[in-house]
Structures are given as C-alpha cells and as structure tokens.
Amino acid sequence: MTTAYRKIGIIGAMVEEVELLHKHVEKTGAFVKAGIEYTEGLFQGRQVVFCKSGVGKVNAAVCTQLLIEAGVDCVLFTGVAGAVAPSLNIGDIVVSTSCLQHDMDVTPLGFARGQIPYQDTWDFQADPALVELAGSVSEQLFPGRTLKGKVLSGDQFVASRDTVRALYEELNGACTEMEGASLAQVCHMNGIPYVVIRAMSDKADGSAHVNFAEFTVQASINSHAIIEGMIKQL
Ligand code: SAH
C-alpha cells in the first residue's frame, strides 16, 4: 500500500494506550491545546502526532478535531475495548469497519437505535485501505484472533451480560468502548480517513471490571503492535 500520508494522527484514551508511543516515537515537538498534550515526532521514520485524549466521546472528539487542525491526514486509534462478538477472547483484536454511538437513542421519536436524527449517516465507515492494512498486520501478528467489524461507542463502561448481548443482537457490534464513534464522526465531518484498532481487555460482562484491570496493559501492547506494523507500510 502506498497511500503516503504526510502526517499520521494517533490517539489513545488512557496512559497505557499511549505509553509505547512515548517510548518509541522520536520526539520533535509538542503542544498543548484544550488541556491535552500533543506530541509530534518520527515513528518508524514517519511523521506522527499523538495524544492521550482521556476517556469518553467528548474528549476523543475534541482531540480528533485538534489533530486534524494540526495537519494530520489520517487518524488511527489504538486501545482496548470490551468484546461484544461472542467469538472474541481477551487479547483478540477488532479492526473497525465502522463505528456507531450505541448511546445515541432517539427511539421515542421513531429513529433507529444509534441513529443521529436528520443526518445522512450515523454508522461511520472506516477507510477501506486502512482496514485492509490493519487486518493483514493483525492477522500476521495474532493469527486467527482478528475480527473486522462494527465498533460501538458510548459514554458508559459496559459490564453486564444482558447489555452486551443486546449490543450484539440489536446493533451487531464487534466490541464496545468509549471513544471510537466520536473520532469517526469528526473524521467523517472533515473528510479524513480513519481506523480504530482495539484489543479486548474484557468481555463487557459481569467480570469486566476485574478483567479490565488485569488485561489492559497486555491488550494495549497488542494494539500498539498493530499500529507499529501499519506505520511501516502506510
Ligand atoms: N482509566 C479508568 C477508566 C477506564 S474506562 C480506569 O482505569 O478505571 C474504560 C476505557 O477502556 C475506555 O477508554 C474505553 O474505551 C475502554 N473500554 C474497555 N472495556 C470497556 C467496556 N467494557 N465498556 C466500555 N469501554 C471499555
């Protein structure tokens, strides 16, 4: 793939998710906007800007817009999520084909669950070439443990079997997290390609809080490995 992006934006929500970027990016600059620190540098020889957005959709939306204003021409997300598709195990990878806000709910007015009223789209498609690349890098690193699918985002940590089953049955989600769909929406509004990479830290069920605490570091490492593999080929 030779898309030759000039400047690549990378977002993680939590410290664990950007720790390895801090370690491996050769820093050339930094700036602070809206209280968030953005680090500029070279990663595998490519120009990147990355940041820790903080948790939740508003944080991710603001960071995505500011990265775009800083001149990035694609946005990658690296991080962890709760598995929704029953085939997924902890540590497995989801590559977003699209992202949707599962907590957008105007159903009493007749809109579909997740639908943003009066918009042409609310299931924001990831860039097909980025999905393809992320999928093949992931498959090489973690054979048989990669699922391409819909990432569901909401301002809630999902830790219930009933909720997670509904997310699968009603919305056909692959995983659930708290940032992807806001990043995706902002990218869509700006015409910027994106893909979200998520390694499963938990299964969004009754044990999610315990698993999250135990597996977030390893899952973040898995997700970072895919970003690193992708950057070489972008
Ligand atoms: N850092 C805090 C809060 C983490 S919130 C703590 O340590 O307690 C959970 C984060 O991981 C969010 O950024 C979200 O995107 C992701 N995540 C992982 N599992 C999730 C789940 N089951 N439901 C929602 N978000 C999840």
Side-chain angles (χ1 to χ4, degrees), residues 24-42:
H24 297 299
V25 171
E26 191 187 317
K27 289 170 193 154
T28 57
F31 60 93
V32 175
K33 266 192 187 172
I36 307 284
E37 181 168 347
Y38 296 80
T39 305
E40 300 169 302
L42 291 172

Side-chain angles (χ1 to χ4, degrees), residues 13-14 16-17 54-56 77 80-83 154 156-159 176-179 198 201-205 208 212:
M14 301 182 292
E16 296 89 340
E17 295 168 331
V55 171
F77 189 99
V80 305
Q156 43 189 262
F157 185 83
V158 177
T176 188
E177 38 84 301
M178 303 176 69
E179 296 85 17
R198 292 280 184 175
S201 53
D202 59 88
K203 293 190 170 187
D205 57 9
F212 174 82

Side-chain angles (χ1 to χ4, degrees), residues 10 50 137 160 173 176 184 187 230 232:
I10 310 172
F50 72 92
V137 169
S160 134
T176 188
C187 284
M230 288 177 73
K232 292 177 189 161

